[in-house]
Amino acid sequence: MTTPNANAGRDALAPAAALFRSLGDPARLAIVRRLATGEARVVDLVDQLGLAQSTVSKHLACLRDCGLVDSRPVGRASVFSLTQPSLIGLLVAAETVLADTGDAVALCPAYGTCEDDA
């Protein structure tokens, strides 16, 4: 049985957990990583990331709904950019954690990658 204080603590962490879930998909993370270098059109992301146009559009919509990216019209295209420059620092921090933990995260039985997923 959990105490009310424990539930309040988890409730306070729900927005952070949602943020990490929004970045938890490899395609969304690749899009955010690319947009950290500068704005891009969907066609640019498709070409640079090797993802299908429908996949890029779906994940951009998710990231926009989360308030992490926005777009502006340029001619007939939309140009996407990060709304939160602090995401760049988050990506750098994540890379530092991954470097410091070695293969531990990648080999995690619950969340890591395994050869069956490849």
Side-chain angles (χ1 to χ4, degrees):
M1 181 170 184
T2 58
T3 64
N5 285 344
N7 287 336
R10 274 198 307 265
D11 290 345
L13 293 174
L19 170 65
F20 286 110
R21 277 193 306 275
S22 74
L23 298 173
D25 183 276
R28 284 194 298 274
L29 189 55
I31 290 168
V32 169
R33 179 183 256 175
R34 167 51 190 85
L35 292 177
T37 67
E39 54 187 24
R41 301 171 301 160
V42 171
V43 68
D44 301 326
L45 295 169
V46 166
D47 290 343
Q48 293 167 1
L49 302 176
L51 300 170
Q53 184 273 328
S54 59
T55 300
V56 171
S57 294
K58 176 182 78 167
H59 288 300
L60 283 168
C62 174
L63 292 166
R64 184 185 302 156
D65 290 346
C66 293
L68 302 178
V69 304
D70 202 3
S71 65
R72 62 182 174 81
V74 175
R76 294 176 47 202
S78 294
V79 176
F80 288 85
S81 60
L82 295 179
T83 60
Q84 303 298 321
S86 56
L87 276 174
I88 297 167
L90 182 62
L91 294 175
V92 170
E95 289 173 5
T96 301
V97 169
L98 290 171
D100 290 347
T101 59
D103 291 333
V105 173
L107 297 176
C108 171
Y111 297 110
T113 58
C114 66
E115 293 178 16
D116 294 338
D117 292 339

